[in-house]
Amino acid sequence: MREYRIAKGWAIFIYVTATLMNIVFLFVLGYGILHPDEDAMLFLGVVSVPMIILMTVGIIDTAKSKLIITNTSIGKRSFLSNRDIPISEVLGFRSDDKYTYIEPKDKTYKKIRFGKSLEKRQEIFEWLYSNFKDLDELNKEIETQEILSSDDFGRNVEEREEQLGLAKKVATGINIFGGGVAVYTLFVSEPYELCIIFSILTPLIAFAILPFFKGLIRINEQKGSAYPTIYYAILGPSIALMGRAYFDFNIYDYSNFWVPFVVIALLLLGVSLAVSNEFNLKENKHIGALFGLVLFFLMYTGGAIVTTNCYFDESEAINYKAEIIQKTVHTGKTTTYKFELTPWGDQIEPETVTVSEEFYEQMESGNTVNVYYLKGYFNIPWLVVTE
């Protein structure tokens, strides 16, 4: 019997981090109990309770978690569950970016999952490869044979191989182009008009390619699939458009935004389902993939509408004056700089706007700024704030 536990480095990190977090949460909990009149601290105290439980479970689970391999079974022990699969009932294994899954033949057994934090992972994988099939590689072989035996992709094996090779080259090319467009749009964005046009057109071109290959090129990316994908040609420009819309423009009123947003997103989804036969809604993995595709369409549609509405707007700006009430910086995966402005025009409440880092540093609270109100190319009003 062989046992594999969490690697010592990972275990020490989890123990130390979780313990320190527990100390912080216990302090917040105690402070909230002693100061019940302070609503904010009482709320944080209450929220601390599940976090303390979570951190404690993490510590115990790290101590108990182990993978057990015997001559007759493979098992996983943890604080919350114990699972075993007889060796004779193991179908194979597959891996993704975070975990490795050992799949049973019979669904009465539950799959066993382990992450990258286990010790001696190389030894575990050597044992897996010597005893079981890599289901990703097996699936790729099966799909390759399906492609090479399908009349949809050519009259004989040679034509089908040639068509598959061409599909791989086309998909790789459009994905690389889409990735390049995304990087250029997000980090260079000059000339701006060209970046926006390419970001809008690239996913549409990718979709236009699909009918020519009759299902040989797929939308969704799936590890272990023999089918080429245009996933990155959609993902990259969609993120780029959303990023440029978020950082570059201040929408004043979204009332005229929602109808075209919903209509275009649904149209794109309908077209994608019409030109692709890869989504089977009876399978959970396809439902998840379709949900991800919907998210991409929402990013793409929202970004495309906002950037087009603002950048290509030729309406005459109306100028107002406002004072900066306060400056705020919002940090996270990205950093944004905002001014809270006094009411201007017909407003009765302060307005918060996003500005560039350079403009943020130039101005101070109490300074007066120019607020330019524009109609928008799609009648979606937006603002430009300058010195």
Side-chain angles (χ1 to χ4, degrees), residues 199-201 203-204 238 241 268 296-305:
S199 292
I200 291 174
L201 289 180
L204 300 180
S238 297
L241 284 170
L268 288 173
F296 293 159
F297 286 152
L298 295 178
M299 288 191 295
Y300 171 84
T301 305
I305 290 174

Side-chain angles (χ1 to χ4, degrees), residues 9-270:
W10 274 106
I12 292 171
F13 173 78
I14 293 170
Y15 292 147
V16 172
T17 303
T19 301
L20 291 175
M21 294 295 290
N22 263 348
I23 292 171
V24 172
F25 288 127
L26 283 168
F27 173 79
V28 173
L29 175 61
Y31 192 92
I33 293 173
L34 294 173
H35 300 81
D37 54 319
E38 298 182 22
D39 293 341
M41 292 309 302
L42 181 60
F43 172 76
L44 290 175
V46 173
V47 171
S48 295
V49 174
M51 296 305 298
I52 292 169
I53 295 172
L54 182 64
M55 293 298 109
T56 303
V57 168
I59 292 172
I60 299 173
D61 191 64
T62 300
K64 287 185 169 291
S65 287
K66 58 183 176 181
L67 187 72
I68 303 173
I69 298 175
T70 70
N71 292 331
T72 58
S73 68
I74 180 168
K76 174 75 183 296
R77 302 290 179 267
S78 68
F79 177 61
L80 298 176
S81 68
N82 296 319
R83 295 182 179 184
D84 291 280
I85 305 176
I87 295 295
S88 60
E89 291 296 324
V90 174
L91 176 64
F93 68 95
R94 66 176 78 249
S95 300
D96 59 26
D97 294 337
K98 296 180 180 179
Y99 298 102
T100 296
Y101 306 86
I102 300 171
E103 307 257 358
K105 298 175 183 176
D106 189 338
K107 297 304 180 182
T108 57
Y109 296 100
K110 293 183 178 180
K111 70 174 66 174
I112 291 173
R113 183 186 76 176
F114 63 88
K116 296 182 178 180
S117 58
L118 278 188
E119 63 183 353
K120 300 180 181 179
R121 290 182 69 250
Q122 184 61 36
E123 182 178 308
I124 297 171
F125 276 106
E126 287 176 0
W127 180 81
L128 287 173
Y129 276 108
S130 63
N131 289 277
F132 308 109
K133 295 178 180 179
D134 183 335
L135 297 178
D136 289 327
E137 291 300 320
L138 179 62
N139 182 69
K140 191 171 185 177
E141 291 176 8
I142 293 172
E143 288 188 348
T144 300
Q145 292 305 313
E146 288 177 352
I147 293 169
L148 297 182
S149 62
S150 174
D151 293 336
D152 292 337
F153 308 128
R155 292 170 295 181
N156 51 52
V157 173
E158 289 74 19
E159 281 192 8
R160 295 161 196 158
E161 287 179 340
E162 184 179 346
Q163 189 73 352
L164 179 59
L166 177 61
K168 289 179 179 178
K169 291 179 182 178
V170 170
T172 300
I174 192 68
N175 282 326
I176 292 174
F177 184 77
V181 167
V183 171
Y184 197 80
T185 300
L186 282 172
F187 300 106
V188 181
S189 65
E190 291 293 340
Y192 196 93
E193 180 179 0
L194 196 61
C195 292
I196 298 303
I197 291 173
F198 275 129
S199 292
I200 291 174
L201 289 180
T202 301
L204 300 180
I205 294 171
F207 278 115
I209 289 170
L210 295 179
F212 292 99
F213 286 90
K214 301 177 181 179
L216 188 54
I217 295 179
R218 300 288 178 87
I219 299 171
N220 185 39
E221 182 195 38
Q222 184 179 344
K223 186 179 179 182
S225 176
Y227 290 92
T229 175
I230 56 168
Y231 178 85
Y232 296 101
I234 301 170
L235 174 63
S238 297
I239 292 175
L241 284 170
M242 183 185 69
R244 288 272 62 97
Y246 179 77
F247 289 113
D248 297 346
F249 305 107
N250 289 294
I251 299 298
Y252 176 70
D253 184 358
Y254 279 93
S255 299
N256 294 333
F257 169 82
W258 297 111
V259 171
F261 175 68
V262 172
V263 169
I264 295 173
L266 289 176
L267 181 62
L268 288 173
L269 179 61

